[in-house]
Amino acid sequence: MTETLKKIFKEKGVSPSYTRMRIYYYLDDCKTHPTVDTIYKELIDELPTLSKTTVYNVLKLFVEKELVYEVNIGTNEKRYELVIEKHSHFICQVCNTIYDIPYICRPIDEDVIPGFEIIDQEVNLKGICPNCKHKQITT
Amino acid sequence: MTETLKKIFKEKGVSPSYTRMRIYYYLDDCKTHPTVDTIYKELIDELPTLSKTTVYNVLKLFVEKELVYEVNIGTNEKRYELVIEKHSHFICQVCNTIYDIPYICRPIDEDVIPGFEIIDQEVNLKGICPNCKHKQITT
DNA sequence: GTCCTTGCAAAGCGTTTGCACAGAA
DNA sequence: TTCTGTGCAAACGCTTTGCAAGGAC
């Protein structure tokens, strides 16, 4: 497993320090699009000398090396996720949780915006997640 | 014209101070999804005592009263636009300009994300705008 | 030895808050 | 008078920068 990750890092030109690997594993594990602060708090027990600067450094490197995406959907803090299969996001307007959902893609009629070169499209859904919906009903 | 705006304000419960109306007109005028800083700089000559705090105050009020949307697409600074017809955004990856484009929307197959209540969907396109494309070719 | 990773402290930047003054109702 | 709009100054929160110490190679 560690070997697999070392290989991934090597392919992207990232040297496999323990801290970097640990942060990568955390992202792989949590599926919650965590903020820097969350990552820091989750790992500080295990890596007592960890600093937020290091978390910032590592994430910046990961983003540059295309191991990680910055997810930016109207929250103050940046959120991060591993670069995996392309997908869309559902943001719960009650608890602010971001859920990964299958990628939604819209055919764009190029005539509608002539002259624009479309490189990427992103569909974000907003609404209420099952958890919060359940709470609303039961309270 | 001023009367029309006063009516709009009244409907939303916003009292029509000169500063508020001026900021509203600027937003109506510029079509550029400006930041607080841009609004401030554009109006400071005309309203020499204007402060950024006031711009923040007015925009906060406008957002609360649903006169204005906060546009949040991965930039540090919040951007603002009048609440008008629902539309989508195209973000130029070269010059960071945000363009309004016709609203792209398709019904979502609820089965894909069962239990989630979808209230809104947002489509953002990313790519290169005609201006920047033209520059790339000619330079 | 050199290079790189890490992390403290400080600065930076956009935004919000506290508070007070002035004008409107 | 009371209420509201405005704006200075300070605080705040997230992020970046400067720099130095320690470890890897």
Side-chain angles (χ1 to χ4, degrees):
Chain A
M1 190 146 127
T2 302
E3 287 314 308
T4 313
L5 180 51
K6 282 185 180 168
K7 201 178 150 201
I8 293 169
F9 275 20
K10 194 167 185 182
E11 275 167 12
K12 299 285 188 177
V14 173
S15 63
S17 78
Y18 184 75
T19 310
R20 287 172 183 169
M21 296 207 293
R22 195 59 198 81
I23 290 175
Y24 189 97
Y25 281 133
Y26 178 70
L27 287 169
D28 192 29
D29 215 51
C30 74
K31 316 285 185 207
T32 56
H33 316 80
T35 63
V36 165
D37 196 60
T38 306
I39 296 168
Y40 172 77
K41 284 183 178 142
E42 287 293 320
L43 297 182
I44 187 64
D45 284 347
E46 196 180 321
L47 306 171
T49 67
L50 185 65
S51 79
K52 276 194 191 175
T53 303
T54 299
V55 180
Y56 278 108
N57 286 339
V58 170
L59 289 172
K60 191 182 169 198
L61 179 71
F62 283 179
V63 170
E64 280 168 16
K65 301 297 188 179
E66 299 178 322
L67 286 164
V68 159
Y69 282 130
E70 265 180 33
V71 183
N72 242 306
I73 322 181
T75 43
N76 307 338
E77 288 164 275
K78 287 177 184 167
R79 289 156 164 268
Y80 297 88
E81 67 179 2
L82 292 191
V83 170
I84 47 170
E85 195 184 358
K86 180 86 178 162
H87 57 271
S88 292
H89 287 124
F90 179 99
I91 306 98
C92 177
Q93 291 176 335
V94 177
C95 64
N96 277 319
T97 303
I98 299 174
Y99 296 87
D100 288 348
I101 61 175
Y103 184 48
I104 297 164
C105 184
R106 303 264 173 251
I108 306 291
D109 182 359
E110 300 266 347
D111 294 346
V112 176
I113 44 170
F116 286 79
E117 182 185 339
I118 301 165
I119 294 172
D120 189 28
Q121 74 167 281
E122 178 186 284
V123 178
N124 297 319
L125 302 185
K126 300 182 182 190
I128 305 174
C129 74
N131 278 349
C132 292
K133 213 165 172 186
H134 184 69
K135 277 179 202 154
Q136 283 180 345
I137 294 164
T138 56
T139 53
Chain B
M1 189 143 126
T2 303
E3 287 316 308
T4 313
L5 181 51
K6 282 185 180 168
K7 202 177 150 203
I8 293 170
F9 274 20
K10 195 167 185 181
E11 274 168 13
K12 298 287 188 175
V14 173
S15 64
S17 78
Y18 184 75
T19 310
R20 286 172 183 170
M21 295 205 295
R22 194 59 197 82
I23 290 175
Y24 190 97
Y25 281 134
Y26 177 71
L27 286 169
D28 192 28
D29 215 49
C30 74
K31 317 284 187 207
T32 55
H33 317 79
T35 62
V36 165
D37 197 61
T38 306
I39 297 168
Y40 173 77
K41 284 184 179 144
E42 287 293 319
L43 297 181
I44 186 66
D45 284 345
E46 196 181 321
L47 306 170
T49 67
L50 185 66
S51 80
K52 275 193 191 175
T53 303
T54 299
V55 180
Y56 279 109
N57 287 339
V58 169
L59 289 173
K60 192 183 171 196
L61 179 71
F62 283 178
V63 170
E64 278 168 20
K65 300 298 187 181
E66 298 178 326
L67 287 163
V68 160
Y69 281 131
E70 265 179 33
V71 183
N72 242 305
I73 323 183
T75 43
N76 306 337
E77 288 164 276
K78 287 177 184 166
R79 289 155 165 270
Y80 297 89
E81 67 180 1
L82 292 191
V83 170
I84 47 170
E85 195 184 356
K86 180 83 178 166
H87 56 270
S88 293
H89 287 124
F90 179 99
I91 307 98
C92 177
Q93 291 177 335
V94 178
C95 65
N96 277 318
T97 303
I98 300 174
Y99 296 86
D100 288 348
I101 60 176
Y103 185 45
I104 299 163
C105 180
R106 292 286 176 82
I108 307 287
D109 183 359
E110 301 266 347
D111 294 346
V112 177
I113 44 170
F116 287 80
E117 183 185 339
I118 301 164
I119 293 173
D120 188 29
Q121 67 170 288
E122 178 187 286
V123 179
N124 298 318
L125 303 185
K126 301 182 182 189
I128 306 175
C129 74
N131 280 349
C132 291
K133 215 167 167 182
H134 184 66
K135 278 179 202 155
Q136 284 181 344
I137 294 164
T138 56
T139 53

